[in-house]
Amino acid sequence: YSGTWGHDELHYINGWTSGEATWMTTLHTIGSFDGPACYCIEPGVPRNLYRSYESYGEDYWDSFPAEYNRTIDGRTMKTLLGRIMQYGYQGNVSTSWRSQNASDAAALSHAIATQLLVWETVVGERDASFNKVDPSGYGKSAVWSYIRDEHPLRSQIRSYYNSMAASVQSHAEIPSFCARSIGSARSYELKYDGTRYTVTLTDTNGVLSNFSFSSSEPGISFSRSGNRLTITSDMPIAGDIRVSASKTNGVRSGVVVWTDGNKGAGIQDVVTYGENVSDPVSAYLRLEMEALGTMHLVKTSEDGV
């Protein structure tokens, strides 16, 4: 009931805006005022109460107009939005929430932080790796400017915002010794230790436990200990050896779009979370065998010279 909850008129990159709101921080629901939280994907487009929307699946993003986001394409937006909602607020919104109550303040902060990250993704303030794009270089406002310094929940919103952003980034993080394509994968040498060929690699990104490994060649085995991966082979193998890594149980929230069918105009479209869907994360590295052994060849003529 007190505090500066509103924000100035804000102009984001790629033409999106948030109109001035002196007192309000707005949350969105679908179906009823106490319904499931949903998140605006068209900042600045009007929102009307009691309007009918159609529900669309993830193919909505296949033809998302490029002029509305020149940082990433629609399919990348879909994936990032699903990851945001995986870690974002997924419950119902309640009209009885009061920021003076700790549990209500936490739910409010989580939902608001989720909306901010959705907006950053939609307007182009996040790249494909979910790194920030600085809008000041375009002479535009940052989405975070929506939360004034005097906002009563600013510190809690910021905490959820930072935590969720880190989770989305680490969601697709790969071991530090891997690459995202086989073409850019580094090669590591398996050295002979007297009984077998082996190499141990250390993952400085701390995500090794999330991945399983397989090889293009039989006889290659993998074992993990903390953030160290040991690769071994009992027999020498000639040529280039390719190793693939796949994130185990890679899923994210499905993205359900509620729309009037008019992208970027008409009535404001929103998204909510659906059933979990597959979200594969792959990585690659190469191996080669250490050259072992020597040969001494003596060529002798018939007379023994």
Side-chain angles (χ1 to χ4, degrees):
Y1 292 116
S2 61
T4 305
W5 292 80
H7 55 85
D8 299 327
E9 181 174 318
L10 302 170
H11 295 266
Y12 308 128
I13 57 178
N14 291 309
W16 298 103
T17 64
S18 286
E20 180 182 7
T22 306
W23 306 112
M24 297 186 299
T25 297
T26 305
L27 297 179
H28 302 260
T29 62
I30 199 81
S32 71
F33 288 108
D34 291 297
C38 62
Y39 301 101
C40 161
I41 57 170
E42 294 179 329
V45 175
R47 180 205 63 240
N48 292 357
L49 294 175
Y50 310 118
R51 290 294 299 264
S52 295
Y53 288 83
E54 282 192 75
S55 173
Y56 278 73
E58 296 200 339
D59 55 353
Y60 171 93
W61 302 97
D62 293 346
S63 58
F64 192 83
E67 64 266 26
Y68 294 145
N69 188 329
R70 293 179 174 85
T71 306
I72 53 177
D73 61 25
R75 291 183 178 89
T76 305
M77 290 168 63
K78 168 194 68 181
T79 299
L80 294 179
L81 291 174
R83 292 172 182 171
I84 291 168
M85 287 187 283
Q86 182 79 8
Y87 304 104
Y89 182 77
Q90 292 193 351
N92 282 22
V93 172
S94 173
T95 54
S96 66
W97 279 349
R98 297 292 180 267
S99 61
Q100 292 86 349
N101 300 328
S103 61
D104 294 349
L108 274 165
S109 300
H110 197 181
I112 294 167
T114 305
Q115 177 65 86
L116 294 175
L117 290 173
V118 167
W119 274 339
E120 286 186 352
T121 302
V122 168
V123 305
E125 211 174 302
R126 292 279 176 174
D127 66 15
S129 298
F130 211 65
N131 296 313
K132 284 277 288 180
V133 174
D134 184 3
S136 64
Y138 302 89
K140 300 296 183 180
S141 303
V143 167
W144 178 255
S145 303
Y146 186 86
I147 306 299
R148 284 179 172 166
D149 291 345
E150 312 85 54
H151 196 294
L153 296 178
R154 180 182 172 89
S155 62
Q156 284 182 267
I157 295 168
R158 190 71 186 187
S159 178
Y160 277 107
Y161 171 94
N162 289 339
S163 174
M164 290 169 56
S167 294
V168 172
Q169 287 180 322
S170 65
H171 186 100
E173 189 69 83
I174 61 175
S176 58
F177 49 78
C178 290
R180 296 192 183 276
S181 69
I182 192 64
S184 57
R186 180 180 169 183
S187 184
Y188 301 91
E189 189 177 52
L190 292 162
K191 293 183 178 293
Y192 193 66
D193 66 1
T195 58
R196 59 183 183 172
Y197 299 83
T198 183
V199 65
T200 297
L201 307 173
T202 300
D203 171 33
T204 58
N205 290 339
V207 297
L208 183 61
S209 62
N210 297 334
F211 285 81
S212 60
F213 292 81
S214 62
S215 170
S216 60
E217 298 288 342
I220 301 290
S221 61
F222 305 90
S223 63
R224 286 190 301 251
S225 178
N227 64 344
R228 292 161 66 87
L229 176 71
T230 299
I231 308 173
T232 59
S233 175
D234 293 331
M235 300 295 294
I237 300 173
D240 181 42
I241 306 166
R242 300 186 178 192
V243 173
S244 300
S246 298
K247 185 175 181 179
T248 55
N249 300 319
V251 296
R252 61 168 173 81
S253 290
V255 181
V256 180
V257 183
W258 300 88
T259 177
D260 65 342
N262 193 344
K263 296 175 182 176
I267 304 300
Q268 187 182 112
D269 293 350
V270 298
V271 292
T272 189
Y273 49 91
E275 297 290 334
N276 281 352
V277 298
S278 176
D279 188 15
V281 178
S282 299
Y284 305 90
L285 61 97
R286 294 175 182 269
L287 299 171
E288 57 187 19
M289 290 287 183
E290 177 186 33
L292 282 181
T294 60
M295 177 187 293
H296 185 69
L297 177 65
V298 178
K299 299 177 72 175
T300 305
S301 64
E302 290 180 359
D303 61 3
V305 176

